Amino acid sequence: MATGAVIVAAGSGKRMGSHRNKLWLPLAGEPILAHTVRLFASHPEVAEIVLVVSEQDHADVIDWLRTEGIRLTVVVGGAERQDSVRHGLQALSPDCSYVLVHDAARPFVTPQQISQLISQVQHDQATIVAVPVKDTIKVVGETGQIESTPARESLWAVQTPQAFRMSLLQEAHQRAKEAGKLGTDDATLVEWLGHPVTVMQGSYENIKITTPDDLLVGEAIMRKRKGE
Ligand code: CTP
Ligand code: MG
């Protein structure tokens, strides 16, 4: 049962405030994108990778992959993350029964977590990694006043990779596009189909590099992993 990966890198990184896509910013001296792509490209259980990039980054990504000697399929994404994932799924070969969708902006997922996810999704058909939230979360209304306080025990912050049976995720994306349904992650679309999604406890280190402070934390995680 082959597993493919769709790595989405076609954002612009607005919240980072840098002049070009944040994924080119260095982490331990190398682009964030390089760390994430290498991790999947060297994973023995990932049979195929589709990397989704923006029109602006396309030529630079192709050059970088050539220099690194990494062979994978590169496609251009869309305006929303969901569009980028859909483009990626369309480019994945039909040999892949399962797919992992991953944000290029999360370079700290480990090979062990990827393996666990691949084994779990063959049982559940839809499995994602997440961590219990540490803060108390409030629902705040437009007036700036608190509307409710959901019980913290039931709240999880979801991450990627998110793993699915390929046919299930394809159907979710197709139906969402037809209905104009937009979700901030892929699990949302599968939930919306009425299919159960299992949560696997991930790691607090699997952060998404979103704002400049995340780079500081990211460098610290890199140093820790190198044993410095
Ligand atoms: N992404 C994508 N296509 C889009 C938007 C986002 O492929 N149209 C990717 C990003 O490149 C990133 C991942 O989805 O790897 C998660 O998105 P996010 O962290 O929000 O990145 P950006 O959208 O680039 O950042 P921002 O929201 O701050 O503009
Ligand atoms: Mg975004």
Side-chain angles (χ1 to χ4, degrees), residues 13-202:
K14 270 193 228 81
R15 284 171 288 177
M16 185 59 78
S18 82
H19 69 287
R20 67 190 296 218
N21 189 350
K22 64 183 177 183
L23 299 173
W24 295 111
L25 290 173
L27 197 57
E30 285 204 285
I32 297 167
L33 182 68
H35 293 283
T36 311
V37 168
R38 269 205 215 106
L39 185 73
F40 281 81
S42 63
H43 198 289
E45 292 169 77
V46 176
E48 189 184 325
I49 299 170
V50 174
L51 178 61
V52 188
V53 304
S54 65
E55 199 88 61
Q56 296 94 294
D57 287 333
H58 189 264
D60 289 336
V61 168
I62 298 284
D63 280 350
W64 176 76
L65 288 170
R66 195 172 296 137
T67 316
E68 291 283 316
I70 299 174
R71 289 165 63 93
L72 45 73
T73 308
V74 180
V75 298
V76 170
E80 301 291 340
R81 180 188 182 280
Q82 187 173 319
D83 301 315
S84 297
V85 174
R86 197 182 58 254
H87 292 189
L89 292 176
Q90 284 161 356
L92 211 57
S93 93
D95 300 345
C96 296
S97 310
Y98 294 96
V99 59
L100 301 170
V101 179
H102 188 64
D103 292 330
R106 289 190 194 270
F108 297 113
V109 64
T110 64
Q112 293 78 4
Q113 283 161 345
I114 293 173
S115 297
Q116 271 176 21
L117 207 52
I118 291 175
S119 119
Q120 192 64 37
V121 72
Q122 293 176 21
H123 182 264
D124 296 331
Q125 315 304 317
T127 313
I128 69 170
V129 284
V131 285
V133 300
K134 298 180 191 177
D135 295 323
T136 295
I137 307 286
K138 304 281 186 188
V139 177
V140 181
E142 277 171 22
T143 58
Q145 282 179 336
I146 293 169
E147 285 178 354
S148 61
T149 308
R152 196 176 59 200
E153 301 77 61
S154 67
L155 294 175
W156 291 65
V158 315
Q159 308 172 336
T160 66
Q162 299 194 345
F164 306 91
R165 175 169 269 282
M166 180 68 176
S167 54
L168 176 63
L169 190 61
Q170 272 172 326
E171 185 192 349
H173 271 271
Q174 195 49 45
R175 297 255 301 267
K177 185 172 161 54
E178 284 159 17
K181 160 94 185 162
L182 213 58
T184 49
D185 74 343
D186 296 279
T188 301
L189 306 183
V190 172
E191 291 160 44
W192 173 73
L193 276 192
H195 196 287
V197 180
T198 307
V199 169
M200 208 178 88
Q201 177 139 8

